[in-house]
Amino acid sequence: MKTLVRPAVSLFLLLSALTGLAYPLAVTGIARAVFPEQAAGSLIRDDRNRVVGSALIGQQFGAPQYFWGRPSATAPRPYNAAASSGSNQGPLNPALVEAASARIEALRAADPGNRQPVPVELVSASASGLDPHISPAAALWQVPRVARARGLPEARVRSLVESHAEGRQWWLLGEPRVNVLQLNLALDALGP
Amino acid sequence: MSLHAWLLLGAFLAVLLSTTKPLGLYIAHLMEGRLRWTRPLESGLYRLCGVRPDEEMGWLRYALALLLFNVLGVLAVYGLQRLQAVLPLNPQQMAAVAPDSAFNTAVSFVTNTDWQGYAGESTLGYLVQMLGLTVQNFLSAATGIAVAIALIRGFARHSAATLGNAWVDLTRATLYLLLPLSLAMAVFLVGQGVIQNFDAYREAATLDPAQSGPQLLAMGPVASQEAIKMLGTNGGGFFNANAAHPFENPTPLTNFVQMLAIFLIPAALCVTFGRMVGDTRQGWAVLTAMTLLFVVAAGAAMSFEQQGNPRLAALGVDQAAGDGQAGGNMEGKETRFGIADSALFATITTAASCGAVNAMHDSFTPLGGLVPLANMQLGEVVFGGVGSGLYGMLVFAVLAVFIAGLMIGRTPEYLGKKIETHEMKMSALAILVTPLLVLLGTALAVSTEAGRAGIANPGAHGFSEILYSLTSAGNNNGSAFAGLSANTPFYNLLLAAVMWLGRFGVIVPVLAMAGALAAKKRIAATAGTLPTHTPLFVALLIGTVLLFGLLNYVPALALGPVVEHLALWMDA
């Protein structure tokens, strides 16, 4: 047993230094040199160089002139990017149905004329609570409301959505989606 | 199941199986010391550490070495968490972690479970993430590989007293397999958007400030941990949302690569096994059994999740799959992954002992959630953990030849080794210790106030949450029905004990069996020997795995997911 202690301790320390310090530092060094933007969080800046968000992290939207993203279950407020979380509600949980009903009500109240069924992604909380995307169907559903609130023709807003829609990667990976923050930034860039 | 889902599954298997042979052969050469270029660095390291690389260890000494090495890991991870308030690289000034939680996390990462009672971004500083957790991501995976290689040597050697040198096996697996793969994968992940920095959390002004005010973006050295988290089938997320977090898994391509990384080494080890025992067909037979079980599980999970939730359908929600949306049960799933990539990921992460999640299993449909649960309950031998999947499956293979031996009335043998009383005792122990821990632990948790207090969802689902947590801990998976509030002294201590025994309560009997096998003479195959590379044996092996899984867990599954499924669809 005694002859095992020295190799155990010294090998543990050495491999720890290698995998716990040298390796992450090497990755950081390479990342900073080759992919500095991505390594820092794909941050989006406005013309005053102020960080307004990350291209990868969703934000909470509730004003009628913006597209809304997925419901977020993070605490203590939605889209808390320092405390990612899903709702973890099971399919039979009454709280799940209540949350979905309340969300449908809010969506209907903001757009009383819209009789189309609500796409599922607008009523179901994402896994991370920070999902930056919605499906193209969920974006198109909101076009009439956004167009009206901004006084823009619906066709104009619809084509903006379509130009921001990404398909599956190589027709195979992932699902079609629209980045909500980038879509809303593009909307703001159109003017009031 | 849609055409797209089938194509995704097909593409995944095609890419995976194309890597299996070259990587498997590389591992065989590496672990047998046939690669000359590894020697200079290695021998320097051994001199520094007082390791005599030529020293051959018997099974007991090999087991003691691994145990000692892993106990050191627990002490280090525990100490780092308790001291993190005074350690550097902690820009958010995270406080010392509570003793019960720190102990749970230490055992969790050392046993390759990576069960997480805490939330990463609000609990741990960067130094603990790196020097505590990333290190164990490597070393626990290396431990699994070492045990698998020792068991393979048990079959490959004859009339031998030893299984190799634990220090050499740990070092080679870490330096020449896990490190280079992780480095390449981490750099790729950063290129796709996974963050890698030591910045303080960034404040971002939001667009619709009336709604949320400024947003604080969690930061950290994520990519380096994410890579080994998958390659080592560890699964512990840097962030609470794990691989659902856009900073851990930003694109469908990173998702695909992460899924591949989970199965990469477990699949390759089957080839390593065939090569080292001198009959590659044996490895392919094991790999075939794994692949067949996996395809059925993946197909089931994808179908059940696509069905959606009848309670939402009753509210008039559109859950149909179409050009513009994935549809289905999207609660707890990310838009970029939809149904197919989420359900496939869930199947992979629980078939292997990974436990990373890109969707919240707690919100899966009852039968969709039963798939990951059942995957773990089969003992995670469908590819399984790095090393642990193969040694788990080989224990089942020993059991299968034993059952076949009973049926045809001959002494069972596997790979030219007679399977006798001692081997059967050890394999029975290795197979039974986990279900015992899971079922007794579940019984304890549901019958105590402290256990029931953690439940988040009412009804049968609450029982499933507890069953899932014990199943995950006992099988060293680490995924969760995460609604369960498990960061309490009760769960932290119960699950830590279950994780430790579920890991080393299997490893020690497996090594004991390996030692006994190595000592045996090799007997020549005769006309009466059951060949173990044929479709018949593959079927027998699958049957054995399913039989034991079902016998152990069907009553518990009936009380949880099955009841819930009936309740969900009864009045739909």
Side-chain angles (χ1 to χ4, degrees):
Chain A
M1 186 74 192
K2 255 190 213 156
T3 51
L4 290 175
V5 174
R6 188 188 152 206
V9 174
S10 35
L11 198 61
F12 180 76
L13 292 177
L14 234 122
L15 291 181
S16 292
L18 214 57
T19 59
L21 294 174
Y23 158 70
L25 290 175
V27 174
T28 311
I30 298 170
R32 202 165 281 181
V34 189
F35 304 113
E37 290 293 313
Q38 291 94 320
S42 308
L43 301 174
I44 303 176
R45 292 167 198 275
D46 61 11
D47 31 13
R48 288 177 293 156
N49 206 29
R50 195 176 56 134
V51 175
V52 292
S54 161
L56 297 177
I57 303 288
Q59 292 182 4
Q60 169 76 347
F61 291 100
Q65 72 272 26
Y66 283 119
F67 283 91
W68 300 358
R70 304 280 307 271
S72 160
T74 61
R77 55 185 185 190
Y79 287 94
N80 180 353
S84 57
S85 172
S87 75
N88 285 312
Q89 284 163 349
L92 263 177
N93 194 330
L96 177 81
V97 179
E98 272 167 41
S101 312
R103 179 73 173 186
I104 292 171
E105 219 165 278
L107 285 160
R108 295 269 184 226
D111 189 10
N114 193 338
R115 291 275 145 248
Q116 298 295 312
V118 179
V120 62
E121 288 176 30
L122 291 179
V123 303
S124 54
S126 64
S128 62
L130 304 173
D131 194 339
H133 299 111
I134 52 176
S135 64
L140 291 172
W141 192 91
Q142 302 181 61
V143 163
R145 182 195 77 224
V146 174
R148 197 171 336 107
R150 289 186 178 254
L152 289 166
E154 275 188 28
R156 182 96 191 270
V157 179
R158 184 168 293 115
S159 74
L160 193 71
V161 169
E162 278 156 5
S163 68
H164 274 78
E166 295 170 72
R168 285 192 177 125
Q169 198 159 1
W170 306 327
W171 299 281
L172 187 66
L173 306 181
E175 295 295 337
R177 58 202 182 278
V178 180
N179 186 306
V180 181
L181 176 59
Q182 285 176 335
L183 178 61
N184 283 331
L185 283 167
L187 265 178
D188 278 354
L190 285 181
Chain B
M1 212 172 126
S2 65
L3 177 67
H4 162 250
W6 280 115
L7 287 176
L8 180 70
L9 179 58
F12 172 77
L13 283 173
V15 178
L16 175 74
L17 295 176
S18 72
T19 64
T20 303
K21 193 174 174 191
L23 186 63
L25 293 181
Y26 170 76
I27 297 174
H29 290 310
L30 170 69
M31 300 309 283
E32 290 298 74
R34 285 197 291 267
L35 302 177
R36 275 172 196 284
W37 55 268
T38 66
R39 290 196 193 143
L41 177 61
E42 247 187 291
S43 50
L45 236 142
Y46 297 146
R47 255 196 309 280
L48 217 63
C49 299
V51 172
R52 287 176 295 129
D54 302 329
E55 184 210 355
E56 281 281 328
M57 297 181 177
W59 79 265
L60 188 60
R61 190 167 166 79
Y62 198 101
L64 282 173
L66 290 184
L67 274 170
L68 187 61
F69 193 71
N70 281 280
V71 168
L72 286 174
V74 174
L75 295 177
V77 179
Y78 180 82
L80 282 165
Q81 290 178 88
R82 299 287 293 143
L83 293 174
Q84 76 165 347
V86 296
L87 292 172
L89 286 180
N90 184 5
Q92 297 309 116
Q93 297 171 351
M94 304 289 187
V97 182
D100 60 308
S101 173
F103 177 65
N104 179 282
T105 304
V107 171
S108 171
F109 277 76
V110 168
T111 55
N112 200 260
T113 313
D114 298 41
W115 169 268
Q116 296 174 292
Y118 64 94
E121 64 265 54
S122 55
T123 313
L124 297 183
Y126 301 154
L127 189 76
V128 178
Q129 294 267 24
M130 285 161 43
L131 199 52
L133 304 190
T134 303
V135 168
Q136 285 310 319
N137 276 323
F138 278 97
L139 301 186
S140 65
T143 300
I145 294 172
V147 175
I149 296 293
L151 178 59
I152 295 172
R153 289 192 189 118
F155 285 111
R157 294 177 177 185
H158 51 96
S159 314
T162 59
L163 295 173
N165 183 307
W167 309 128
V168 172
D169 290 342
L170 286 171
T171 307
R172 286 183 180 152
T174 307
L175 282 188
Y176 301 116
L177 178 62
L178 298 171
L179 254 181
L181 284 174
S182 301
L183 192 64
M185 182 170 164
V187 172
F188 163 78
L189 289 177
V190 180
Q192 290 284 308
V194 178
I195 58 174
Q196 178 76 21
N197 60 57
F198 294 97
D199 303 342
Y201 292 5
R202 292 298 288 259
E203 196 173 281
T206 51
L207 216 53
D208 192 349
Q211 280 298 311
S212 53
Q215 191 180 36
L216 195 62
L217 299 165
M219 292 282 136
V222 177
S224 52
Q225 187 159 325
E226 192 73 13
I228 185 60
K229 158 189 163 189
M230 299 303 179
L231 288 163
T233 61
N234 293 281
F238 196 96
F239 300 117
N240 187 45
N242 208 300
H245 196 297
F247 277 161
E248 286 199 23
N249 192 1
T251 65
L253 184 59
T254 57
N255 191 62
F256 192 74
V257 169
Q258 294 193 4
M259 292 194 296
L260 279 173
I262 297 174
F263 272 2
L264 188 69
I265 297 175
L269 279 171
C270 294
V271 172
T272 309
F273 161 67
R275 173 77 181 207
M276 286 175 68
V277 298
D279 182 358
T280 46
R281 296 171 308 176
Q282 305 291 341
W284 292 114
V286 171
L287 188 65
T288 307
M290 291 176 170
T291 307
L292 291 175
L293 281 165
F294 167 69
V295 168
V296 173
M302 292 200 264
S303 307
F304 292 132
E305 287 312 293
Q306 192 66 61
Q307 283 181 349
N309 184 342
R311 300 290 158 117
L312 293 187
L315 297 176
V317 173
D318 177 11
Q319 300 181 87
D323 283 345
Q325 71 168 15
N329 174 31
M330 283 301 289
E331 181 72 20
K333 294 189 180 65
E334 298 280 293
T335 297
R336 63 193 180 284
F337 306 138
I339 299 297
D341 289 76
S342 300
L344 183 58
F345 195 109
T347 310
I348 291 168
T349 196
T350 50
S353 84
C354 184
V357 295
N358 77 349
M360 294 302 134
H361 295 184
D362 214 350
S363 298
F364 273 31
T365 60
L367 295 187
L370 183 143
V371 171
L373 192 51
N375 269 340
M376 295 187 287
Q377 290 172 340
L378 294 182
E380 288 169 358
V381 294
V382 180
F383 295 93
V386 166
S388 61
L390 182 67
Y391 65 69
M393 196 54 142
L394 292 180
V395 170
F396 274 112
V398 166
L399 189 66
V401 295
F402 175 74
I403 292 172
L406 289 180
M407 291 194 286
I408 56 179
R410 282 186 59 95
T411 313
E413 50 192 82
Y414 187 49
L415 306 171
K417 294 296 174 79
K418 263 199 185 121
I419 304 299
E420 293 169 298
T421 321
H422 179 69
E423 292 75 54
M424 283 322 299
K425 277 186 188 157
M426 289 304 124
S427 54
L429 202 58
I431 287 174
L432 290 178
V433 82
T434 315
L436 209 63
L437 289 166
V438 171
L439 294 174
L440 288 179
T442 304
L444 180 68
V446 294
S447 52
T448 54
E449 197 51 49
R452 290 192 302 268
I455 291 175
N457 284 284
H461 197 87
F463 174 76
S464 300
E465 285 181 340
I466 292 180
L467 178 65
Y468 196 105
S469 73
L470 269 302
T471 302
S472 173
N475 289 286
N476 298 138
N477 185 273
S479 67
F481 272 13
L484 187 78
S485 305
N487 198 357
T488 61
F490 174 82
Y491 277 111
N492 278 332
L493 297 179
L494 174 67
L495 294 176
V498 169
M499 288 187 282
W500 186 262
L501 294 172
R503 176 78 164 171
F504 294 101
V506 176
I507 283 182
V508 173
V510 163
L511 287 174
M513 183 168 84
L517 287 168
K520 287 174 191 281
K521 290 198 189 75
R522 182 174 304 161
I523 47 175
T526 64
T529 306
L530 173 76
T532 51
H533 60 268
T534 57
L536 177 69
F537 182 73
V538 170
L540 187 65
L541 183 57
I542 291 176
T544 310
V545 170
L546 289 177
L547 182 72
F548 269 75
L550 289 175
L551 284 178
N552 284 324
Y553 291 109
V554 158
L557 291 174
L559 288 175
V562 174
V563 165
E564 194 188 4
H565 175 76
L566 296 176
L568 182 64
W569 289 93
M570 204 162 43
D571 50 7

